[in-house]
Amino acid sequence: MSLTQRPGTRIQTAGHAQTPPADIRDSLFTAPLLLIGGWLFAGGWALAYPNTHIGNNVRNVDLVFATIILLNAIARVARTRGPGSDVITIVSGACLIVSPFVFGYFGDPGAGLAPLNQIVTGAVLMVLGAVSLALIERRRPRPRADAAPAR
C-alpha cells in the first residue's frame, strides 16, 4: 500500500473571500495587543499596587480589561479580521482612560502609579485601534470614477 501526496485544496463557499495569509495590519497590531493584555495582567504586581481597597479595585479593573484585550488579540489570530476587533480595542482604551476618574483613584494617594498606568495604556489602545481602523478603510476598494453605474 502506498501513500500519495494530494495537493492542498481549499473549498470556497459563495460569498466568502479568501484572506491573504498575513498583512501589515495583522502583524503590527496583534502582537502589541497581546503585550498590552499581558502588561495589564501583570502591571499591578510590577508597579506594586497597594493592598488597599482602591488598590484592589484598580487591580480588578486591570484584570477585566486584560482579559478583554487578550481574548480580542487571540481572536484576531484565529479568525478573519474586521472592524469589530478595532472597535473593541478603542472602547476598552476609552474605558481604561475614564476608570480612574469614575472610581476616584486620584482621590487616594495610596493608588500610586495605577491611574497613570491606566490612562497611558488606554491611550495606547485607542491609538492602535484608530490606526488599524484607518488601515481597513484605506484597503477597501473604491469605485472607479470613470466606471459606468450598474443598472
Side-chain angles (χ1 to χ4, degrees):
M1 182 176 244
S2 68
L3 298 174
T4 60
Q5 296 262 340
R6 285 192 235 166
T9 59
R10 185 171 183 162
I11 299 172
Q12 293 285 341
T13 58
H16 290 92
Q18 190 173 12
T19 58
D23 65 358
I24 191 168
R25 184 173 162 265
D26 300 336
S27 60
L28 284 180
F29 298 108
T30 302
L33 283 179
L34 288 169
L35 291 173
I36 289 170
W39 170 251
L40 284 172
F41 181 75
W45 292 282
L47 296 175
Y49 289 174
N51 192 16
T52 63
H53 180 67
I54 285 287
N56 291 333
N57 284 344
V58 174
R59 203 172 282 118
N60 289 337
V61 169
D62 282 356
L63 290 176
V64 166
F65 284 104
T67 304
I68 292 169
I69 295 301
L70 284 172
L71 289 175
N72 187 18
I74 291 168
R76 287 175 67 105
V77 172
R79 64 176 170 74
T80 304
R81 270 58 91 215
S85 171
D86 300 325
V87 171
I88 290 171
T89 302
I90 292 171
V91 169
S92 296
C95 289
L96 276 171
I97 290 172
V98 170
S99 67
F101 302 102
V102 170
F103 295 115
Y105 304 155
F106 287 115
D108 186 3
L113 294 174
L116 180 64
N117 179 42
Q118 287 185 344
I119 290 172
V120 169
T121 305
V124 170
L125 285 172
M126 288 186 72
V127 168
L128 279 174
V131 170
S132 184
L133 268 178
L135 286 176
I136 287 176
E137 291 301 319
R138 186 174 173 190
R139 290 187 58 190
R140 281 196 182 153
R142 307 255 189 263
R144 291 180 31 186
D146 61 341
R151 293 185 184 219

